[in-house]
Amino acid sequence: MTTDVTDTGVGMIRSGFLGGGFMAQVHSRAARAAGAAMAAVASSSPQRAERAAQQLGIGRAVGSVEELLAGDSDIVHICTPNATHASLALQVIAAGKHVICEKPLATTLVDARALADAAAERGVVAAVPFVYRYHPMVREARARIAAGEIGSLLTVDCGYLQDWMLLPTDDDWRATSASGGPSRAFADIGSHLCDLLEFVTGDRIVRLTARTRRVFDERGGHPVANEDAVAILVELASGAIGTLLISQMAAGRKNALTLELHGADASIRFDQERPEELWVGGREENRHLFRDPSTAHEGVARFSRVPVGHAQGYQDAFNGFVADAYAAVAGEQPDGLPTFADGVRAAQLTEAVLLAAREERWIDVGALDT
Ligand SMILES: NC(=O)c1ccc[n+]([C@@H]2O[C@H](COP(=O)([O-])OP(=O)(O)OC[C@H]3O[C@@H](n4cnc5c(N)ncnc54)[C@H](O)[C@@H]3O)[C@@H](O)[C@H]2O)c1
């Protein structure tokens, strides 16, 4: 079973929260499951902070980030709109507190790098919730690939499809440049997909080209600043090639993150909406593998939080992520904890995708390092 903070010797960690929306709910449930004390919450106004405190069961609502940071939180969870992440995370780090900052870590590569540098300099734990890494069957796929079970990687066929922006009347702060940033579909969900692809394969996207599409130029009476969908062609360091389709306008698809990896000996497929299983394809036969801690690859059983046959899902993955971040606060080095370095990688890929689409050319992703 995944360790919780009371197992790691850190004692009761005190967690502070910025934001009171969807993700603050998910984060606070995970923090509570890991044994943390709910220290305080701040939101976009004192009234919203009060409401969030009630909804999330947090004893103390505070009026500002400064007030939160003056308090006794050991770690701050940043669960606010994208464009606020960079300045809030810098303040948290400057206060010497550990930080979990939602993705995208920042809306520019320069800001993302500055955050990673600041966290390293200050010596705080700095994690980004690429939580799909915490599905046990994702770890199982990763372990099987690392053990050579699918052979050398030939091609990848990946997607992340949703439909919540299908209608012209669908709107959200993510569609504005002021709050969402220059990329929506890629930064919001493509970042998860690329993180998972690189995490599971241990490979790296080295070149890409992309087309973006914005279907409606206006939503909710304001101009739309970013893309609804992206199609990407990738080359990986191993020589594997592949396609990634990312859309928030794919009717009927709710949270369809799929990773299909074809090796020289076998294929493997993970579907986030069926996280308890993996499809393994072969020339002779195809199989479905189901999560079972008793037969899992070494090191994978700890991601199972309940016995075989008792389905785990998104919140369980999130709980595993937060438990590992807290274990890092206690001095452990949990395998596969996504950190600000991974947030920087996502920002780098985001800039590569936007550049490729804008200039209609192939981009060497590493060239953005210089
Ligand atoms: N890791 C994941 O799986 C995952 C899933 C969904 C969303 N997210 C990310 O989580 C973040 C929040 O998304 P959400 O869906 O919870 O949004 P939301 O709109 O539901 O909530 C945002 C909250 O932030 C508050 N807020 C706005 N500006 C603030 C500020 N300056 N200071 C403090 N609070 C402020 C708002 O009042 C609101 O309570 C986004 O960056 C998003 O990309 C991550």
Side-chain angles (χ1 to χ4, degrees), residues 82-120:
N82 307 347
T84 64
H85 293 173
S87 63
L88 291 174
L90 270 185
Q91 283 179 267
V92 174
I93 294 165
K97 297 184 187 289
H98 304 287
V99 59
I100 295 178
C101 181
E102 264 304 347
K103 39 58 52 175
L105 178 57
T107 53
T108 67
L109 179 54
V110 168
D111 281 353
R113 281 206 187 107
L115 289 175
D117 290 346

PDB file of all heavy atoms in Angstrom, residues 82-120:
ATOM      1  N   ASN A  82      -4.051  29.007 -14.418  1.00  0.00           N
ATOM      2  CA  ASN A  82      -2.680  28.843 -14.920  1.00  0.00           C
ATOM      3  C   ASN A  82      -1.794  30.079 -14.790  1.00  0.00           C
ATOM      4  O   ASN A  82      -0.634  29.990 -14.367  1.00  0.00           O
ATOM      5  CB  ASN A  82      -2.718  28.439 -16.394  1.00  0.00           C
ATOM      6  CG  ASN A  82      -3.585  27.222 -16.640  1.00  0.00           C
ATOM      7  OD1 ASN A  82      -3.964  26.534 -15.693  1.00  0.00           O
ATOM      8  ND2 ASN A  82      -3.906  26.942 -17.893  1.00  0.00           N
ATOM      9  N   ALA A  83      -2.333  31.226 -15.198  1.00  0.00           N
ATOM     10  CA  ALA A  83      -1.492  32.428 -15.276  1.00  0.00           C
ATOM     11  C   ALA A  83      -1.068  32.938 -13.901  1.00  0.00           C
ATOM     12  O   ALA A  83      -0.167  33.773 -13.805  1.00  0.00           O
ATOM     13  CB  ALA A  83      -2.214  33.532 -16.050  1.00  0.00           C
ATOM     14  N   THR A  84      -1.697  32.439 -12.839  1.00  0.00           N
ATOM     15  CA  THR A  84      -1.319  32.878 -11.484  1.00  0.00           C
ATOM     16  C   THR A  84      -0.214  32.006 -10.893  1.00  0.00           C
ATOM     17  O   THR A  84       0.374  32.364  -9.863  1.00  0.00           O
ATOM     18  CB  THR A  84      -2.535  32.815 -10.522  1.00  0.00           C
ATOM     19  OG1 THR A  84      -2.947  31.445 -10.394  1.00  0.00           O
ATOM     20  CG2 THR A  84      -3.703  33.639 -11.025  1.00  0.00           C
ATOM     21  N   HIS A  85       0.063  30.837 -11.509  1.00  0.00           N
ATOM     22  CA  HIS A  85       0.972  29.863 -10.884  1.00  0.00           C
ATOM     23  C   HIS A  85       2.361  30.434 -10.608  1.00  0.00           C
ATOM     24  O   HIS A  85       2.919  30.247  -9.529  1.00  0.00           O
ATOM     25  CB  HIS A  85       1.113  28.608 -11.763  1.00  0.00           C
ATOM     26  CG  HIS A  85      -0.157  27.811 -11.870  1.00  0.00           C
ATOM     27  ND1 HIS A  85      -0.286  26.739 -12.724  1.00  0.00           N
ATOM     28  CD2 HIS A  85      -1.355  27.926 -11.243  1.00  0.00           C
ATOM     29  CE1 HIS A  85      -1.508  26.238 -12.613  1.00  0.00           C
ATOM     30  NE2 HIS A  85      -2.171  26.949 -11.721  1.00  0.00           N
ATOM     31  N   ALA A  86       2.937  31.101 -11.637  1.00  0.00           N
ATOM     32  CA  ALA A  86       4.339  31.504 -11.521  1.00  0.00           C
ATOM     33  C   ALA A  86       4.551  32.448 -10.329  1.00  0.00           C
ATOM     34  O   ALA A  86       5.423  32.207  -9.493  1.00  0.00           O
ATOM     35  CB  ALA A  86       4.810  32.153 -12.820  1.00  0.00           C
ATOM     36  N   SER A  87       3.728  33.500 -10.236  1.00  0.00           N
ATOM     37  CA  SER A  87       3.989  34.463  -9.157  1.00  0.00           C
ATOM     38  C   SER A  87       3.658  33.856  -7.792  1.00  0.00           C
ATOM     39  O   SER A  87       4.377  34.066  -6.812  1.00  0.00           O
ATOM     40  CB  SER A  87       3.221  35.765  -9.382  1.00  0.00           C
ATOM     41  OG  SER A  87       1.850  35.500  -9.348  1.00  0.00           O
ATOM     42  N   LEU A  88       2.575  33.051  -7.722  1.00  0.00           N
ATOM     43  CA  LEU A  88       2.224  32.442  -6.432  1.00  0.00           C
ATOM     44  C   LEU A  88       3.306  31.453  -5.990  1.00  0.00           C
ATOM     45  O   LEU A  88       3.730  31.448  -4.827  1.00  0.00           O
ATOM     46  CB  LEU A  88       0.864  31.733  -6.525  1.00  0.00           C
ATOM     47  CG  LEU A  88      -0.363  32.644  -6.692  1.00  0.00           C
ATOM     48  CD1 LEU A  88      -1.627  31.810  -6.912  1.00  0.00           C
ATOM     49  CD2 LEU A  88      -0.545  33.563  -5.482  1.00  0.00           C
ATOM     50  N   ALA A  89       3.774  30.623  -6.931  1.00  0.00           N
ATOM     51  CA  ALA A  89       4.778  29.607  -6.567  1.00  0.00           C
ATOM     52  C   ALA A  89       6.079  30.283  -6.128  1.00  0.00           C
ATOM     53  O   ALA A  89       6.726  29.825  -5.175  1.00  0.00           O
ATOM     54  CB  ALA A  89       5.019  28.659  -7.732  1.00  0.00           C
ATOM     55  N   LEU A  90       6.437  31.380  -6.795  1.00  0.00           N
ATOM     56  CA  LEU A  90       7.657  32.090  -6.380  1.00  0.00           C
ATOM     57  C   LEU A  90       7.526  32.616  -4.953  1.00  0.00           C
ATOM     58  O   LEU A  90       8.466  32.526  -4.164  1.00  0.00           O
ATOM     59  CB  LEU A  90       7.937  33.273  -7.317  1.00  0.00           C
ATOM     60  CG  LEU A  90       8.811  33.001  -8.532  1.00  0.00           C
ATOM     61  CD1 LEU A  90       9.083  34.302  -9.278  1.00  0.00           C
ATOM     62  CD2 LEU A  90      10.136  32.327  -8.156  1.00  0.00           C
ATOM     63  N   GLN A  91       6.338  33.113  -4.621  1.00  0.00           N
ATOM     64  CA  GLN A  91       6.121  33.617  -3.254  1.00  0.00           C
ATOM     65  C   GLN A  91       6.219  32.484  -2.236  1.00  0.00           C
ATOM     66  O   GLN A  91       6.791  32.649  -1.162  1.00  0.00           O
ATOM     67  CB  GLN A  91       4.748  34.283  -3.146  1.00  0.00           C
ATOM     68  CG  GLN A  91       4.688  35.673  -3.752  1.00  0.00           C
ATOM     69  CD  GLN A  91       3.281  36.247  -3.634  1.00  0.00           C
ATOM     70  OE1 GLN A  91       2.466  36.111  -4.537  1.00  0.00           O
ATOM     71  NE2 GLN A  91       2.987  36.883  -2.520  1.00  0.00           N
ATOM     72  N   VAL A  92       5.622  31.335  -2.591  1.00  0.00           N
ATOM     73  CA  VAL A  92       5.647  30.190  -1.666  1.00  0.00           C
ATOM     74  C   VAL A  92       7.091  29.746  -1.429  1.00  0.00           C
ATOM     75  O   VAL A  92       7.517  29.517  -0.291  1.00  0.00           O
ATOM     76  CB  VAL A  92       4.806  29.014  -2.227  1.00  0.00           C
ATOM     77  CG1 VAL A  92       4.955  27.778  -1.348  1.00  0.00           C
ATOM     78  CG2 VAL A  92       3.334  29.414  -2.343  1.00  0.00           C
ATOM     79  N   ILE A  93       7.854  29.649  -2.513  1.00  0.00           N
ATOM     80  CA  ILE A  93       9.248  29.206  -2.404  1.00  0.00           C
ATOM     81  C   ILE A  93      10.060  30.218  -1.600  1.00  0.00           C
ATOM     82  O   ILE A  93      10.861  29.854  -0.731  1.00  0.00           O
ATOM     83  CB  ILE A  93       9.842  28.993  -3.812  1.00  0.00           C
ATOM     84  CG1 ILE A  93       9.144  27.827  -4.502  1.00  0.00           C
ATOM     85  CG2 ILE A  93      11.353  28.752  -3.738  1.00  0.00           C
ATOM     86  CD1 ILE A  93       9.386  27.750  -6.004  1.00  0.00           C
ATOM     87  N   ALA A  94       9.835  31.498  -1.882  1.00  0.00           N
ATOM     88  CA  ALA A  94      10.580  32.543  -1.158  1.00  0.00           C
ATOM     89  C   ALA A  94      10.291  32.469   0.342  1.00  0.00           C
ATOM     90  O   ALA A  94      11.149  32.820   1.164  1.00  0.00           O
ATOM     91  CB  ALA A  94      10.218  33.916  -1.708  1.00  0.00           C
ATOM     92  N   ALA A  95       9.097  31.989   0.705  1.00  0.00           N
ATOM     93  CA  ALA A  95       8.757  31.853   2.129  1.00  0.00           C
ATOM     94  C   ALA A  95       9.357  30.584   2.723  1.00  0.00           C
ATOM     95  O   ALA A  95       9.153  30.287   3.908  1.00  0.00           O
ATOM     96  CB  ALA A  95       7.229  31.863   2.298  1.00  0.00           C
ATOM     97  N   GLY A  96      10.073  29.813   1.888  1.00  0.00           N
ATOM     98  CA  GLY A  96      10.743  28.598   2.379  1.00  0.00           C
ATOM     99  C   GLY A  96       9.807  27.425   2.593  1.00  0.00           C
ATOM    100  O   GLY A  96      10.133  26.485   3.313  1.00  0.00           O
ATOM    101  N   LYS A  97       8.621  27.479   1.958  1.00  0.00           N
ATOM    102  CA  LYS A  97       7.666  26.375   2.130  1.00  0.00           C
ATOM    103  C   LYS A  97       7.730  25.431   0.936  1.00  0.00           C
ATOM    104  O   LYS A  97       8.062  25.850  -0.172  1.00  0.00           O
ATOM    105  CB  LYS A  97       6.251  26.933   2.295  1.00  0.00           C
ATOM    106  CG  LYS A  97       6.126  27.779   3.559  1.00  0.00           C
ATOM    107  CD  LYS A  97       4.718  28.255   3.790  1.00  0.00           C
ATOM    108  CE  LYS A  97       4.627  29.238   4.968  1.00  0.00           C
ATOM    109  NZ  LYS A  97       4.813  28.624   6.293  1.00  0.00           N
ATOM    110  N   HIS A  98       7.437  24.164   1.188  1.00  0.00           N
ATOM    111  CA  HIS A  98       7.335  23.203   0.094  1.00  0.00           C
ATOM    112  C   HIS A  98       6.100  23.539  -0.734  1.00  0.00           C
ATOM    113  O   HIS A  98       5.170  24.193  -0.249  1.00  0.00           O
ATOM    114  CB  HIS A  98       7.249  21.778   0.659  1.00  0.00           C
ATOM    115  CG  HIS A  98       8.401  21.444   1.556  1.00  0.00           C
ATOM    116  ND1 HIS A  98       9.671  21.211   1.091  1.00  0.00           N
ATOM    117  CD2 HIS A  98       8.475  21.339   2.907  1.00  0.00           C
ATOM    118  CE1 HIS A  98      10.478  20.961   2.111  1.00  0.00           C
ATOM    119  NE2 HIS A  98       9.772  21.043   3.229  1.00  0.00           N
ATOM    120  N   VAL A  99       6.106  23.065  -1.990  1.00  0.00           N
ATOM    121  CA  VAL A  99       5.020  23.496  -2.873  1.00  0.00           C
ATOM    122  C   VAL A  99       4.587  22.380  -3.819  1.00  0.00           C
ATOM    123  O   VAL A  99       5.430  21.640  -4.342  1.00  0.00           O
ATOM    124  CB  VAL A  99       5.443  24.770  -3.658  1.00  0.00           C
ATOM    125  CG1 VAL A  99       6.698  24.547  -4.501  1.00  0.00           C
ATOM    126  CG2 VAL A  99       4.325  25.293  -4.552  1.00  0.00           C
ATOM    127  N   ILE A 100       3.281  22.264  -3.977  1.00  0.00           N
ATOM    128  CA  ILE A 100       2.711  21.460  -5.067  1.00  0.00           C
ATOM    129  C   ILE A 100       1.978  22.458  -5.945  1.00  0.00           C
ATOM    130  O   ILE A 100       1.020  23.100  -5.490  1.00  0.00           O
ATOM    131  CB  ILE A 100       1.733  20.388  -4.544  1.00  0.00           C
ATOM    132  CG1 ILE A 100       2.463  19.358  -3.678  1.00  0.00           C
ATOM    133  CG2 ILE A 100       1.024  19.712  -5.718  1.00  0.00           C
ATOM    134  CD1 ILE A 100       1.570  18.282  -3.076  1.00  0.00           C
ATOM    135  N   CYS A 101       2.456  22.638  -7.172  1.00  0.00           N
ATOM    136  CA  CYS A 101       1.814  23.620  -8.058  1.00  0.00           C
ATOM    137  C   CYS A 101       1.174  22.903  -9.228  1.00  0.00           C
ATOM    138  O   CYS A 101       1.817  22.104  -9.907  1.00  0.00           O
ATOM    139  CB  CYS A 101       2.836  24.635  -8.572  1.00  0.00           C
ATOM    140  SG  CYS A 101       2.064  25.879  -9.629  1.00  0.00           S
ATOM    141  N   GLU A 102      -0.083  23.241  -9.465  1.00  0.00           N
ATOM    142  CA  GLU A 102      -0.821  22.599 -10.568  1.00  0.00           C
ATOM    143  C   GLU A 102      -0.159  22.863 -11.915  1.00  0.00           C
ATOM    144  O   GLU A 102       0.595  23.801 -12.091  1.00  0.00           O
ATOM    145  CB  GLU A 102      -2.290  23.082 -10.571  1.00  0.00           C
ATOM    146  CG  GLU A 102      -3.221  22.134  -9.849  1.00  0.00           C
ATOM    147  CD  GLU A 102      -3.181  20.692 -10.395  1.00  0.00           C
ATOM    148  OE1 GLU A 102      -2.629  20.464 -11.467  1.00  0.00           O
ATOM    149  OE2 GLU A 102      -3.707  19.795  -9.718  1.00  0.00           O
ATOM    150  N   LYS A 103      -0.482  21.987 -12.867  1.00  0.00           N
ATOM    151  CA  LYS A 103       0.001  22.173 -14.231  1.00  0.00           C
ATOM    152  C   LYS A 103      -0.970  23.073 -14.979  1.00  0.00           C
ATOM    153  O   LYS A 103      -2.128  23.127 -14.577  1.00  0.00           O
ATOM    154  CB  LYS A 103       0.188  20.845 -14.990  1.00  0.00           C
ATOM    155  CG  LYS A 103      -0.839  19.754 -14.788  1.00  0.00           C
ATOM    156  CD  LYS A 103      -2.279  19.959 -15.065  1.00  0.00           C
ATOM    157  CE  LYS A 103      -2.794  20.491 -16.352  1.00  0.00           C
ATOM    158  NZ  LYS A 103      -4.276  20.493 -16.420  1.00  0.00           N
ATOM    159  N   PRO A 104      -0.571  23.778 -16.011  1.00  0.00           N
ATOM    160  CA  PRO A 104       0.812  23.975 -16.396  1.00  0.00           C
ATOM    161  C   PRO A 104       1.543  24.792 -15.337  1.00  0.00           C
ATOM    162  O   PRO A 104       0.995  25.776 -14.826  1.00  0.00           O
ATOM    163  CB  PRO A 104       0.704  24.737 -17.714  1.00  0.00           C
ATOM    164  CG  PRO A 104      -0.632  25.415 -17.663  1.00  0.00           C
ATOM    165  CD  PRO A 104      -1.510  24.530 -16.863  1.00  0.00           C
ATOM    166  N   LEU A 105       2.799  24.376 -15.056  1.00  0.00           N
ATOM    167  CA  LEU A 105       3.562  25.039 -13.992  1.00  0.00           C
ATOM    168  C   LEU A 105       3.598  26.544 -14.217  1.00  0.00           C
ATOM    169  O   LEU A 105       3.499  27.327 -13.274  1.00  0.00           O
ATOM    170  CB  LEU A 105       4.985  24.453 -13.970  1.00  0.00           C
ATOM    171  CG  LEU A 105       5.949  25.044 -12.970  1.00  0.00           C
ATOM    172  CD1 LEU A 105       5.419  24.936 -11.542  1.00  0.00           C
ATOM    173  CD2 LEU A 105       7.310  24.355 -13.081  1.00  0.00           C
ATOM    174  N   ALA A 106       3.775  26.959 -15.474  1.00  0.00           N
ATOM    175  CA  ALA A 106       3.765  28.379 -15.818  1.00  0.00           C
ATOM    176  C   ALA A 106       3.288  28.478 -17.259  1.00  0.00           C
ATOM    177  O   ALA A 106       3.248  27.483 -17.974  1.00  0.00           O
ATOM    178  CB  ALA A 106       5.161  28.964 -15.665  1.00  0.00           C
ATOM    179  N   THR A 107       2.967  29.683 -17.679  1.00  0.00           N
ATOM    180  CA  THR A 107       2.466  29.838 -19.053  1.00  0.00           C
ATOM    181  C   THR A 107       3.589  30.183 -20.033  1.00  0.00           C
ATOM    182  O   THR A 107       3.329  30.357 -21.217  1.00  0.00           O
ATOM    183  CB  THR A 107       1.352  30.903 -19.115  1.00  0.00           C
ATOM    184  OG1 THR A 107       1.846  32.098 -18.510  1.00  0.00           O
ATOM    185  CG2 THR A 107       0.108  30.441 -18.377  1.00  0.00           C
ATOM    186  N   THR A 108       4.829  30.318 -19.538  1.00  0.00           N
ATOM    187  CA  THR A 108       5.983  30.463 -20.440  1.00  0.00           C
ATOM    188  C   THR A 108       7.102  29.566 -19.928  1.00  0.00           C
ATOM    189  O   THR A 108       7.186  29.271 -18.723  1.00  0.00           O
ATOM    190  CB  THR A 108       6.525  31.911 -20.496  1.00  0.00           C
ATOM    191  OG1 THR A 108       7.083  32.234 -19.212  1.00  0.00           O
ATOM    192  CG2 THR A 108       5.452  32.916 -20.861  1.00  0.00           C
ATOM    193  N   LEU A 109       7.985  29.191 -20.864  1.00  0.00           N
ATOM    194  CA  LEU A 109       9.133  28.354 -20.502  1.00  0.00           C
ATOM    195  C   LEU A 109      10.083  29.107 -19.571  1.00  0.00           C
ATOM    196  O   LEU A 109      10.615  28.535 -18.609  1.00  0.00           O
ATOM    197  CB  LEU A 109       9.845  27.927 -21.802  1.00  0.00           C
ATOM    198  CG  LEU A 109      11.095  27.065 -21.673  1.00  0.00           C
ATOM    199  CD1 LEU A 109      10.844  25.815 -20.845  1.00  0.00           C
ATOM    200  CD2 LEU A 109      11.598  26.677 -23.073  1.00  0.00           C
ATOM    201  N   VAL A 110      10.266  30.391 -19.840  1.00  0.00           N
ATOM    202  CA  VAL A 110      11.167  31.200 -19.006  1.00  0.00           C
ATOM    203  C   VAL A 110      10.689  31.191 -17.553  1.00  0.00           C
ATOM    204  O   VAL A 110      11.474  30.976 -16.616  1.00  0.00           O
ATOM    205  CB  VAL A 110      11.216  32.659 -19.551  1.00  0.00           C
ATOM    206  CG1 VAL A 110      11.899  33.596 -18.576  1.00  0.00           C
ATOM    207  CG2 VAL A 110      11.922  32.674 -20.900  1.00  0.00           C
ATOM    208  N   ASP A 111       9.395  31.390 -17.354  1.00  0.00           N
ATOM    209  CA  ASP A 111       8.861  31.396 -15.982  1.00  0.00           C
ATOM    210  C   ASP A 111       8.977  30.022 -15.338  1.00  0.00           C
ATOM    211  O   ASP A 111       9.290  29.900 -14.142  1.00  0.00           O
ATOM    212  CB  ASP A 111       7.377  31.815 -15.992  1.00  0.00           C
ATOM    213  CG  ASP A 111       7.213  33.319 -16.134  1.00  0.00           C
ATOM    214  OD1 ASP A 111       8.229  34.041 -16.091  1.00  0.00           O
ATOM    215  OD2 ASP A 111       6.053  33.759 -16.308  1.00  0.00           O
ATOM    216  N   ALA A 112       8.715  28.980 -16.110  1.00  0.00           N
ATOM    217  CA  ALA A 112       8.783  27.619 -15.551  1.00  0.00           C
ATOM    218  C   ALA A 112      10.210  27.329 -15.081  1.00  0.00           C
ATOM    219  O   ALA A 112      10.431  26.801 -13.983  1.00  0.00           O
ATOM    220  CB  ALA A 112       8.327  26.589 -16.588  1.00  0.00           C
ATOM    221  N   ARG A 113      11.180  27.707 -15.897  1.00  0.00           N
ATOM    222  CA  ARG A 113      12.586  27.482 -15.510  1.00  0.00           C
ATOM    223  C   ARG A 113      12.946  28.275 -14.252  1.00  0.00           C
ATOM    224  O   ARG A 113      13.647  27.780 -13.372  1.00  0.00           O
ATOM    225  CB  ARG A 113      13.509  27.941 -16.646  1.00  0.00           C
ATOM    226  CG  ARG A 113      13.589  26.930 -17.759  1.00  0.00           C
ATOM    227  CD  ARG A 113      14.922  27.083 -18.492  1.00  0.00           C
ATOM    228  NE  ARG A 113      14.929  26.227 -19.663  1.00  0.00           N
ATOM    229  CZ  ARG A 113      14.815  26.665 -20.911  1.00  0.00           C
ATOM    230  NH1 ARG A 113      14.696  27.945 -21.156  1.00  0.00           N
ATOM    231  NH2 ARG A 113      14.843  25.818 -21.897  1.00  0.00           N
ATOM    232  N   ALA A 114      12.466  29.520 -14.187  1.00  0.00           N
ATOM    233  CA  ALA A 114      12.777  30.354 -13.016  1.00  0.00           C
ATOM    234  C   ALA A 114      12.235  29.703 -11.744  1.00  0.00           C
ATOM    235  O   ALA A 114      12.875  29.726 -10.687  1.00  0.00           O
ATOM    236  CB  ALA A 114      12.188  31.755 -13.195  1.00  0.00           C
ATOM    237  N   LEU A 115      11.067  29.073 -11.852  1.00  0.00           N
ATOM    238  CA  LEU A 115      10.477  28.412 -10.682  1.00  0.00           C
ATOM    239  C   LEU A 115      11.310  27.199 -10.269  1.00  0.00           C
ATOM    240  O   LEU A 115      11.561  26.977  -9.080  1.00  0.00           O
ATOM    241  CB  LEU A 115       9.053  27.957 -10.997  1.00  0.00           C
ATOM    242  CG  LEU A 115       8.013  29.061 -11.124  1.00  0.00           C
ATOM    243  CD1 LEU A 115       6.677  28.483 -11.557  1.00  0.00           C
ATOM    244  CD2 LEU A 115       7.854  29.782  -9.796  1.00  0.00           C
ATOM    245  N   ALA A 116      11.718  26.402 -11.260  1.00  0.00           N
ATOM    246  CA  ALA A 116      12.509  25.205 -10.937  1.00  0.00           C
ATOM    247  C   ALA A 116      13.834  25.624 -10.300  1.00  0.00           C
ATOM    248  O   ALA A 116      14.283  25.015  -9.323  1.00  0.00           O
ATOM    249  CB  ALA A 116      12.748  24.383 -12.203  1.00  0.00           C
ATOM    250  N   ASP A 117      14.442  26.685 -10.836  1.00  0.00           N
ATOM    251  CA  ASP A 117      15.713  27.163 -10.274  1.00  0.00           C
ATOM    252  C   ASP A 117      15.508  27.664  -8.847  1.00  0.00           C
ATOM    253  O   ASP A 117      16.307  27.370  -7.947  1.00  0.00           O
ATOM    254  CB  ASP A 117      16.282  28.312 -11.137  1.00  0.00           C
ATOM    255  CG  ASP A 117      16.758  27.799 -12.490  1.00  0.00           C
ATOM    256  OD1 ASP A 117      16.891  26.570 -12.663  1.00  0.00           O
ATOM    257  OD2 ASP A 117      16.982  28.649 -13.392  1.00  0.00           O
ATOM    258  N   ALA A 118      14.438  28.438  -8.639  1.00  0.00           N
ATOM    259  CA  ALA A 118      14.183  28.995  -7.300  1.00  0.00           C
ATOM    260  C   ALA A 118      13.953  27.879  -6.284  1.00  0.00           C
ATOM    261  O   ALA A 118      14.466  27.934  -5.158  1.00  0.00           O
ATOM    262  CB  ALA A 118      12.975  29.930  -7.345  1.00  0.00           C
ATOM    263  N   ALA A 119      13.202  26.836  -6.690  1.00  0.00           N
ATOM    264  CA  ALA A 119      12.919  25.730  -5.766  1.00  0.00           C
ATOM    265  C   ALA A 119      14.209  24.981  -5.423  1.00  0.00           C
ATOM    266  O   ALA A 119      14.437  24.615  -4.262  1.00  0.00           O
ATOM    267  CB  ALA A 119      11.894  24.779  -6.383  1.00  0.00           C
ATOM    268  N   ALA A 120      15.061  24.779  -6.444  1.00  0.00           N
ATOM    269  CA  ALA A 120      16.320  24.054  -6.202  1.00  0.00           C
ATOM    270  C   ALA A 120      17.212  24.870  -5.269  1.00  0.00           C
ATOM    271  O   ALA A 120      17.811  24.347  -4.324  1.00  0.00           O
ATOM    272  CB  ALA A 120      17.020  23.790  -7.528  1.00  0.00           C
TER     273      ALA A 120
END
